[in-house]
Amino acid sequence: MRVSVVSTMLNEAKSLPRLLDSLAAQTRAPDEVIICDGGSTDSTLQLLDSEDRLPLRAILRLGANISQGRNAVIEMATGEVIASTDAGVRLSPQWLEKLVTPFEDAAVQAVAGFFRPDPQTVFETAMGATVLPEVREIDPTRFLPSSRSVAFRKSAWEAVGGYPEWIDYCEDLIFDLRLRALYGPFVFAPQALAYFRPRPSLRAFFVQYYRYARGDGKANLWLKRHVIRYTSYFVAAPLIALAGALFAPWWWALYLVAVPEMLWLPYRRLARLWGSLSLAQKAQAALWVPVIRVVGDVAKMVGYPAGVLWRWRNRAQVPDWRKP
């Protein structure tokens, strides 16, 4: 079984060595590595050109979005199985081995790896705990993997029409959903781990989640989730405040139920992530959690309508990706 590892990147010179080092240390070596650069202005291309530990090819596609870059390298790939990852990650030594072993069964078409935070600051520790699930929280029958840790047969990629090039974010979700609709749930390989750094600042996090939510709006994804979020912030929360002011203060006790519900999972994850942090750093991380949660919700509530507006303005050109 020939396996091609693919990725696409832009201006990743600082993080690229971690990816290349971890690819070179795999217990199951890739048969080829193909990386698309979207037009980096740093030393990304020089680092790729100087890599001599891997059977690596780099291609340049100026201005390509993520889907265009991925499709370009997959089209060039000679492997029967495609393993996808992202710049900025550090792969566990057994990542590729665990990810491709299920393909020994000819019926398997797609395998979902997993990911874990690799924080380097107190803020990043809180970020990882707030936004990234633990493996125990995953339902393998419903899990949709990030393209930082996923593998699929090239024939399956062809069957679903590749990654959707009309959208800039959430492209891997649409690709996953089309794969699942055609072949059923992904085989889950939780030991195929990709470690990555969460966003290093609140501003970077806001931009990230704004773009994700805008992608949801463009693709008409997760409408129910977004409606619940708007209802919680703009209907339920004001009504509780009003009821407490007009009728009885005990109505405000409902906040004591809602807030722990929002923060229970992040704090449970944080207790497993903060490791050797000092007591003061642990307190700092705990204080960051509710801030990150609210900022993420605000970013989604701003980004989603922007995506919906884009979809309405471009309705004649946006394909119905749910159709076979």
Side-chain angles (χ1 to χ4, degrees):
M1 181 170 57
R2 186 172 174 81
V3 178
S4 303
V5 173
V6 302
S7 186
T8 181
M9 57 189 61
L10 179 69
N11 292 327
E12 292 287 351
K14 291 182 179 180
S15 62
L16 180 57
R18 292 199 305 165
L19 173 62
L20 297 178
D21 290 346
S22 62
L23 277 173
Q26 292 296 299
T27 56
R28 198 285 190 200
D31 294 290
E32 64 179 354
V33 180
I34 311 178
I35 294 177
C36 176
D37 183 273
S40 295
T41 55
D42 61 5
S43 58
T44 296
L45 280 171
Q46 290 91 323
L47 287 171
L48 293 173
D49 288 340
S50 63
E51 174 57 49
D52 58 4
R53 297 167 296 176
L54 296 164
L56 187 149
R57 286 184 290 163
I59 65 171
L60 179 64
R61 293 290 186 274
L62 291 174
N65 64 23
I66 297 172
S67 287
Q68 291 166 341
R70 286 199 179 116
N71 286 337
V73 290
I74 295 171
E75 182 68 35
M76 294 180 61
T78 61
E80 171 193 352
V81 171
I82 307 297
S84 174
T85 190
D86 281 342
V89 307
R90 172 176 60 86
L91 303 169
S92 64
Q94 291 185 308
W95 172 76
L96 191 58
E97 178 184 347
K98 297 297 184 182
L99 198 59
V100 303
T101 295
F103 290 102
E104 293 173 1
D105 180 349
V108 172
Q109 297 294 322
V111 177
F114 200 55
F115 48 84
R116 287 182 182 169
D118 192 15
Q120 298 184 19
T121 67
V122 173
F123 177 81
E124 291 173 8
T125 301
M127 176 70 67
T130 305
V131 303
L132 298 177
E134 295 178 314
V135 69
R136 65 166 69 186
E137 301 167 29
I138 299 301
D139 177 358
T141 64
R142 298 176 60 85
F143 181 57
L144 298 171
S146 162
S147 286
R148 69 172 64 95
S149 185
V150 68
F152 42 85
R153 296 191 188 274
K154 186 172 180 178
S155 58
W157 167 82
E158 292 171 341
V160 300
Y163 282 89
E165 297 187 359
W166 57 271
I167 194 168
D168 50 356
Y169 286 87
C170 296
E171 78 294 330
D172 50 357
L173 281 177
I174 295 175
F175 179 69
D176 288 354
L177 288 165
R178 288 178 64 85
L179 278 176
R180 190 173 69 178
L182 192 58
Y183 298 110
F186 288 68
V187 174
F188 188 39
Q191 293 177 315
L193 288 171
Y195 296 87
F196 75 105
R197 284 187 68 181
R199 288 297 189 269
S201 69
L202 209 56
R203 183 181 183 278
F205 170 63
F206 181 93
V207 171
Q208 178 191 32
Y209 268 57
Y210 169 85
R211 289 172 173 169
Y212 285 170
R214 187 182 63 189
D216 289 350
K218 289 181 176 183
N220 196 21
L221 282 167
W222 318 129
L223 175 61
K224 182 178 178 180
R225 296 183 188 180
H226 288 282
V227 169
I228 291 173
R229 186 175 297 108
Y230 288 120
T231 303
S232 298
Y233 278 90
F234 296 119
V235 179
L239 284 179
I240 292 171
L242 188 61
L246 296 179
F247 301 109
W250 62 263
W251 278 96
W252 295 333
L254 292 176
Y255 290 129
L256 301 178
V257 177
V259 172
E261 179 68 21
M262 290 176 61
L263 302 179
W264 161 245
L265 276 179
Y267 281 132
R268 188 180 72 174
R269 298 169 192 154
L270 183 61
R272 294 182 175 87
L273 275 180
W274 57 22
S276 61
L277 294 182
S278 68
L279 185 60
Q281 289 173 323
K282 289 178 180 178
Q284 183 182 354
L287 291 173
W288 270 121
V289 166
V291 176
I292 293 168
R293 180 61 191 268
V294 172
V295 168
D297 284 343
V298 171
K300 292 175 184 177
M301 289 189 288
V302 174
Y304 188 74
V308 171
L309 180 61
W310 179 93
R311 188 175 77 243
W312 182 80
R313 287 176 172 172
N314 295 275
R315 58 192 180 278
Q317 290 79 37
V318 175
D320 185 356
W321 58 267
R322 289 182 171 85
K323 289 184 177 180

